[in-house]
Amino acid sequence: DRRQRQMCIRDRNANSAVPLYQQVAEDIRNRITSGEYSPGQALPSESRLCELYNVSRITIRNAIADLVEQDLLVTHHGKGTFVQTPKISSSLNTFKGFTVFCHENNINAYTHMLGMNRQKPNTAIMKKLELTPEDDVVYLKRLRHVNDKPVMIEHVSLPCSQFEFLLDVDMENQSLYEVIERRTGMRLEDNCYTSITLETSIATEEEAQLLKFDSPQSVFVLMETVITHTGIPVHYTKQILSGRHFKFFLSNKVNQLSMNWSEV
């Protein structure tokens, strides 16, 4: 098998203008596609790949760099090169709740409630929701899971004047938007738009514990205000997203959120 693999590379090199590193990259890509190398699996060492393909170390490094750039491989310093997990993309131009997003992409999702109460909003939330100092909010703190692993911490604040009924609902593994639709008849995805701010940060000690980080890691901090088409704020949400599982693409044509879903 080794000789056949080497001969295949030699033959293609002799009859093609395609650089040798690209031929090696194509072969590794085919192995990933066929399932021989599965998501999260470590590739053989550089020296082993040199033996397998009968090429130089620089050729292997160029092939790996090419596949890293294509988001098929990821390299961890001191640990090796691993097959990157596939990503699911969702346009940020399309307003969808997390539950709907996961359902449409056949992702197994679960929501665990960390807490829910009635409280006074801080100044920032009061401004976002256009509230007065006399107003209260319904506050939900949730831990969102994908394939049984925690990937997001979510803090949601809604005006108590409209959504006090939520305090009487068991929200464990419930879709907030589905509960609101059942009680009010309003489908938020069809009647609202969002204002989003995205930042990066290092997870706090509590966040790292909830997301089960084994070392300090970066997180996305996504702050979103959901507003009806008539201009009325519905809720303000702050999401702490694991940097290992989410990736944002922004352009003047398409804004997309990608999620490393099969890794989790």
Side-chain angles (χ1 to χ4, degrees):
D1 176 69
R2 173 182 168 184
R3 281 198 295 267
Q4 289 176 348
R5 179 72 63 181
Q6 292 172 345
M7 184 61 70
C8 180
I9 293 295
R10 285 198 191 101
D11 289 345
R12 281 188 286 172
N13 184 50
N15 298 293
S16 173
V18 178
L20 187 57
Y21 82 90
Q22 291 184 4
Q23 297 180 50
V24 173
E26 180 184 356
D27 190 76
I28 295 174
R29 186 188 303 107
N30 290 337
R31 286 179 174 225
I32 294 172
T33 302
S34 69
E36 183 177 349
Y37 293 150
S38 58
Q41 180 179 346
L43 255 61
S45 66
E46 285 187 0
S47 59
R48 180 70 184 93
L49 289 173
C50 289
E51 293 177 3
L52 178 62
Y53 293 106
N54 194 27
V55 296
S56 67
R57 189 176 292 268
I58 189 63
T59 297
I60 293 300
R61 288 179 177 174
N62 285 339
I64 289 175
D66 192 37
L67 293 172
V68 168
E69 186 175 353
Q70 296 177 43
D71 217 18
L72 292 174
L73 297 177
V74 59
T75 299
H76 297 299
H77 182 68
K79 295 183 179 180
T81 301
F82 299 81
V83 178
Q84 182 64 280
T85 57
K87 295 178 174 61
I88 293 178
S89 296
S90 175
S91 174
L92 288 178
N93 290 330
T94 303
F95 172 45
K96 293 180 181 179
F98 183 76
T99 302
V100 172
F101 167 81
C102 291
H103 177 73
E104 290 183 351
N105 289 282
N106 297 314
I107 301 172
N108 180 27
Y110 184 88
T111 300
H112 172 56
M113 287 297 301
L114 298 173
M116 181 168 64
N117 58 51
R118 177 177 183 150
Q119 63 182 38
K120 290 292 182 183
N122 61 33
T123 303
I125 295 176
M126 190 185 307
K127 183 177 179 180
K128 294 287 186 181
L129 296 180
E130 300 180 0
L131 302 176
T132 70
E134 289 73 34
D135 293 323
D136 292 341
V137 295
V138 176
Y139 168 72
L140 296 83
K141 183 176 181 180
R142 308 192 289 179
L143 186 61
R144 318 300 295 265
H145 295 72
V146 168
N147 296 339
D148 299 322
K149 290 189 178 181
V151 299
M152 179 199 305
I153 304 166
E154 192 172 58
H155 307 267
V156 187
S157 296
L158 308 96
C160 203
S161 59
Q162 297 173 261
F163 301 102
E164 187 175 15
F165 64 84
L166 291 171
L167 296 172
D168 298 322
V169 179
D170 180 3
M171 292 298 297
E172 182 71 14
N173 201 32
Q174 290 263 34
S175 165
L176 175 62
Y177 286 3
E178 288 179 1
V179 171
I180 290 175
E181 184 177 359
R182 287 198 301 267
R183 291 294 297 266
T184 69
M186 182 180 184
R187 182 174 171 79
L188 297 183
E189 286 98 340
D190 295 338
N191 295 279
C192 297
Y193 67 92
T194 62
S195 174
I196 294 175
T197 300
L198 180 65
E199 299 178 352
T200 58
S201 183
I202 299 297
T204 65
E205 184 176 346
E206 180 195 19
E207 290 165 354
Q209 184 176 13
L210 287 173
L211 294 173
K212 296 185 178 179
F213 293 161
D214 52 11
S215 61
Q217 294 187 23
S218 61
V219 291
F220 288 113
V221 181
L222 190 150
M223 292 159 283
E224 176 184 57
T225 305
V226 174
I227 305 166
T228 68
H229 291 310
T230 57
I232 301 174
V234 177
H235 71 80
Y236 172 78
T237 297
K238 179 179 179 181
Q239 296 175 337
I240 310 299
L241 304 102
S242 168
R244 291 185 300 180
H245 305 128
F246 293 88
K247 183 176 181 180
F248 292 86
F249 296 93
L250 303 175
S251 74
N252 60 354
K253 289 185 177 180
V254 178
N255 296 333
Q256 290 186 323
L257 164 66
S258 289
M259 179 174 173
N260 279 356
W261 62 275
S262 65
E263 176 183 324
V264 298

